[in-house]
Amino acid sequence: MSNIGSYEERVKNFSWDIAKEVLDWKDGELLNIGAICSDRVCGMGKGSKPALIWEGFGGRSARYTFDDLKVYSNAFAGFLREQGMEPGDRICIFMDKIPSLYFSFLGILKIGAIVQPLFSAFGEESLEVRLASAETKAILTTVKHVKKVRKIRERLPHLEKVVVVDGNPDRLKGDEIFFDVEKYPAIKEFDVYRSDSETPSVLHYTSGTTGQPKGALHVHNSIWGQALTANWVLDLRDDDIYWCTADPGWVTGTSYGIIGPWSLGVTQCVLDSGFTSARWYQFIQDNKVSVWYSAPTAIRALMKDGGELVKKYDLSSLRHLASVGEPLNPEAVIWSGEVFGGLKFHDTFWQTETGAIMISNYPGMEIKPGSMGKPFPGIEASVLDLETHEPLTEPGKVGLIAFRPGWPSMFRQYWKRPDIYRSKFVGAREDAMPDELRTDKSLWYVSGDRASIDADGYFWFVGRDDDVINTGGHLVGPFEIESALVEHEAIAEAAAVGKPDKVNMEVVKAFVTLKPGYEPSEELELDIMNFIRKKLSPLAMPQEIEYVEKLPKTRSGKIVRRYLRALEWGEEVGDLSTLSDE
Ligand code: 6R9
């Protein structure tokens, strides 16, 4: 049965040690996420319990128990160790949501290396930037995606091993290595790396306004936050069939698509095929999904197909629904209550940097449609005045969402960028080290989002405090897009902003000036779109390109995206006095 308790009760009597009780954790046990999510679950007598129910394209499917998870993650661990991979090395996983992604994720952690999951739809430039930044030593990929690695490999001196986990070994090139997890001699017990709470675990790249994406580095200690929030907020119980729709290339897909559920020994389903509403409902029906964690864009797409379609399926297995990634509009909450037998999507708010859910509609708490809910027990959250950075006390006033440092799953640094890490903390000393910042309770970690808090303590999201574009719950950095745009032969200068979209909330729109000799045309527009799709990803591809004579700039020559964005959203353009008037 559920052990989540009432929100008020939990806030009053909170301690992170409760996470250890939930996992039945004894002091002195090995703190290694890879082992906790597989070996440890088997050790608790759940080895034959289904861990992963998988469906792919074309009707392919597979089922794996926790025993399988243990043996196959051991195989990846054994193989990688054999290949000379060492604790602390960055190993990238670049695949669709196939079973080997999940096995290798745990296997990499078992040798004490750092997992760098990257979204498989990334094009070669998105991939290159992230592999170069992390000085990644090995990449695990598939036949479908290895071609992109081949194009950039010679520019990546640190990339020693390219491993392909499917297909035909005869088709590999050069020193690429073939690895078939099912054929590797079974390792029953693997000698797991003796990690501790501060051993680095996962490196997720995330986009900011300026510069290239930054790597948010997590540690094995994150498990306490991920397990407890998976238990209390997602309400995961031993007999659940859980479906997290996120891709592990993004943080939701690892914190709650791998670590949270499997640390609790919960069965989860993965659907690795294109989206249609019918396919999703069928998947829930066939697998008797009970807890479903998804994103507003998907929910809006389901809404578009209407409530009648829902009635064609038996979705009575569903018990709890939650959402993350972007603002969940009140209509979506109300609609879900109507069509899913009274179940409403519970909005949750968090970030790559926070590692786990920070603000949420806690089960049992009254849902105010449109609100993100309240801080998780043990999390001190506030909104800070936009100018003074003092906490706002007046209900309804808009400020910056901020958290007191020190929760277990908080990121420990931006990879090799202590300066940017420091800039996320209000009140930080200029020479403060990452380790001091993350434990200093006099500071605030600022999320980069704006919200207000109402008189009942509920948080209401307002928008981002920067120029990052959130398209369908995925963050894309304008700088990365602009840098790629100006590599196109016809483009002189470029600005990328989000424009409103009914389903995806925002899509990318680019404003460009052309080089002499090039004329605006529809053909050129398509060419530019394709150029970005291939280089970066379908997410980063502009849905519209507007040719302009010049871009709005400040006197110092910086492009003012804020101005272009406001035009797109029909908002007040704001203070233009800093704009150049040339
Ligand atoms: C987990 C994840 C984080 C950013 C975050 C904010 C937006 C996330 C939200 C939300 C409104 C919610 N965001 N949850 N906005 N309501 N419930 O999504 O991580 O990819 O790092 O994105 O997404 O802007 O700062 P990440």
Side-chain angles (χ1 to χ4, degrees):
M1 267 315 288
S2 161
N3 62 347
I4 55 179
S6 84
Y7 177 73
E8 288 73 21
E9 198 50 43
R10 288 303 193 187
V11 169
K12 225 187 295 160
N13 299 314
F14 187 79
S15 143
W16 284 110
D17 284 341
I18 300 174
K20 300 188 176 169
E21 287 165 31
V22 165
L23 289 194
D24 201 12
W25 180 267
K26 306 280 175 300
D27 275 341
E29 279 193 58
L30 171 60
L31 184 59
N32 181 292
I33 291 175
I36 293 172
C37 291
S38 55
D39 307 9
R40 193 170 184 275
V41 178
C42 296
M44 295 177 105
K46 294 194 203 170
S48 56
K49 181 178 174 175
L52 174 63
I53 299 170
W54 179 84
E55 286 183 26
F57 281 97
R60 287 185 306 149
S61 69
R63 277 171 175 261
Y64 302 91
T65 62
F66 279 97
D67 275 336
D68 296 330
L69 210 55
K70 177 178 176 182
V71 171
Y72 291 144
S73 59
N74 283 352
F76 270 102
F79 163 74
L80 289 168
R81 199 175 265 171
E82 210 175 76
Q83 291 294 323
M85 293 300 125
E86 289 176 5
D89 285 345
R90 277 75 60 206
I91 303 181
C92 172
I93 306 179
F94 188 53
M95 336 178 170
D96 298 346
K97 288 186 276 180
I98 57 173
S100 275
L101 185 161
Y102 297 84
F103 305 146
S104 59
F105 184 91
L106 301 181
I108 294 168
L109 295 175
K110 280 183 171 179
I111 63 163
I114 302 173
V115 191
Q116 182 189 15
L118 290 178
F119 186 41
S120 61
F122 276 156
E124 66 241 26
E125 190 158 314
S126 293
L127 185 63
E128 183 182 341
V129 163
R130 290 159 177 81
L131 296 178
S133 160
E135 300 185 338
T136 308
K137 204 161 159 190
I139 184 166
L140 310 178
T141 188
T142 56
V143 170
K144 183 171 160 195
H145 299 292
V146 72
K147 298 175 207 112
K148 295 183 261 187
V149 183
R150 284 176 190 152
K151 287 197 189 143
I152 57 177
R153 180 136 183 223
E154 63 180 30
R155 294 197 291 276
L156 295 167
H158 294 94
L159 189 63
E160 290 175 15
K161 311 271 175 186
V162 176
V163 181
V164 180
V165 303
D166 66 357
N168 181 348
D170 301 334
R171 310 278 287 271
L172 299 189
K173 300 224 163 110
D175 62 354
E176 290 165 1
I177 304 161
F178 178 72
F179 179 71
D180 181 343
V181 69
E182 302 204 10
K183 300 236 169 76
Y184 195 79
I187 305 173
K188 277 244 144 54
E189 297 300 330
F190 182 78
D191 173 24
V192 176
Y193 178 73
R194 311 297 298 173
S195 44
D196 63 27
S197 56
E198 291 306 309
T199 304
S201 54
V202 183
L203 181 64
H204 268 298
Y205 274 76
T206 182
S207 299
T209 306
T210 51
Q212 292 291 359
K214 312 164 294 249
L217 183 68
H218 290 278
V219 294
H220 285 263
N221 197 53
S222 70
I223 194 151
W224 306 121
Q226 291 151 343
L228 195 61
T229 50
N231 185 211
W232 288 3
V233 179
L234 302 181
D235 194 12
L236 289 185
R237 307 173 193 176
D238 200 31
D239 55 357
D240 272 318
I241 308 282
Y242 166 65
W243 183 28
C244 169
T245 61
D247 187 295
W250 311 101
V251 73
T252 306
T254 59
S255 288
Y256 297 104
I258 299 180
I259 306 172
W262 280 343
S263 64
L264 297 168
V266 168
T267 303
Q268 62 163 338
C269 306
V270 169
L271 177 61
D272 181 30
S273 79
F275 173 88
T276 69
S277 300
R279 182 80 185 86
W280 275 32
Y281 295 141
Q282 186 76 45
F283 187 72
I284 294 172
Q285 173 179 297
D286 290 350
N287 296 300
K288 300 199 169 41
V289 171
S290 54
V291 178
W292 181 20
Y293 195 23
S294 198
T297 289
I299 301 165
R300 285 190 291 268
L302 296 172
M303 278 173 82
K304 244 173 87 180
D305 287 334
E308 281 307 305
L309 182 65
V310 184
K311 290 193 192 134
K312 294 192 178 148
Y313 298 85
D314 175 4
L315 306 183
S316 57
S317 56
L318 287 173
R319 180 175 65 72
H320 186 57
L321 317 181
S323 160
V324 65
E326 9 153 14
L328 181 62
N329 36 322
E331 305 78 48
V333 178
I334 295 161
W335 179 80
S336 68
E338 283 166 7
V339 301
F340 299 120
L343 302 175
K344 292 180 180 160
F345 273 98
H346 290 62
D347 192 12
T348 67
F349 170 91
W350 57 291
Q351 306 178 294
T352 303
E353 288 86 344
T354 70
I357 295 168
M358 301 299 273
I359 297 174
S360 73
N361 287 274
Y362 198 86
M365 191 169 88
E366 185 208 342
I367 292 184
K368 295 192 188 186
S371 161
M372 310 194 291
K374 297 188 185 185
F376 187 73
I379 298 291
E380 191 187 341
S382 187
V383 293
L384 309 183
D385 186 275
L386 299 174
E387 304 293 326
T388 66
H389 290 164
E390 288 298 321
L392 296 169
T393 46
E394 201 183 313
K397 250 192 131 190
V398 175
L400 302 170
I401 302 178
F403 303 104
R404 283 282 186 223
W407 65 97
S409 58
M410 180 179 180
F411 72 137
R412 297 306 200 246
Q413 52 170 294
Y414 285 123
W415 190 255
K416 299 221 168 121
R417 293 308 301 264
D419 51 331
I420 306 183
Y421 189 76
R422 197 175 303 125
S423 73
K424 299 288 286 192
F425 296 84
V426 164
R429 270 193 353 258
E430 258 179 39
D431 57 348
M433 299 302 288
D435 275 356
E436 296 172 69
L437 295 164
R438 70 172 174 83
T439 51
D440 187 342
K441 299 271 184 207
S442 71
L443 305 178
W444 288 104
Y445 162 77
V446 177
S447 79
D449 294 292
R450 295 180 181 191
S452 66
I453 309 175
D454 70 14
D456 299 325
Y458 281 70
F459 281 64
W460 296 79
F461 186 81
V462 172
R464 288 193 59 98
D465 190 47
D466 58 19
D467 295 335
V468 172
I469 302 161
N470 186 333
T471 177
H474 300 109
L475 304 186
V476 289
F479 177 82
E480 202 178 2
I481 303 171
E482 291 158 1
S483 308
L485 280 167
V486 295
E487 284 175 39
H488 189 279
E489 56 180 13
I491 298 179
E493 284 188 306
V497 299
K499 74 165 199 172
D501 182 83
K502 274 209 170 70
V503 171
N504 291 291
M505 189 173 87
E506 284 186 311
V507 290
V508 177
K509 174 168 178 181
F511 294 82
V512 299
T513 61
L514 295 180
K515 286 186 184 155
Y518 289 93
E519 288 300 319
S521 74
E522 228 167 80
E523 210 184 333
L524 179 60
E525 186 178 12
L526 283 180
D527 190 66
I528 297 170
M529 287 175 174
N530 264 321
F531 181 76
I532 299 300
R533 185 177 55 79
K534 274 192 73 186
K535 244 182 190 316
L536 300 181
S537 73
L539 301 172
M541 182 182 88
Q543 305 286 320
E544 186 188 339
I545 289 170
E546 189 169 325
Y547 301 105
V548 290
E549 286 298 319
K550 62 176 195 175
L551 290 167
K553 286 191 193 155
T554 62
R555 283 178 202 284
S556 62
K558 267 171 77 178
I559 295 168
V560 188
R561 299 187 195 108
R562 177 172 55 87
Y563 173 76
L564 297 167
R565 187 177 195 283
L567 288 181
E568 288 305 311
W569 289 77
E571 289 167 358
E572 281 285 308
V573 170
D575 178 15
L576 291 182
S577 59
T578 53
L579 289 189
S580 123
D581 46 14
E582 293 156 25

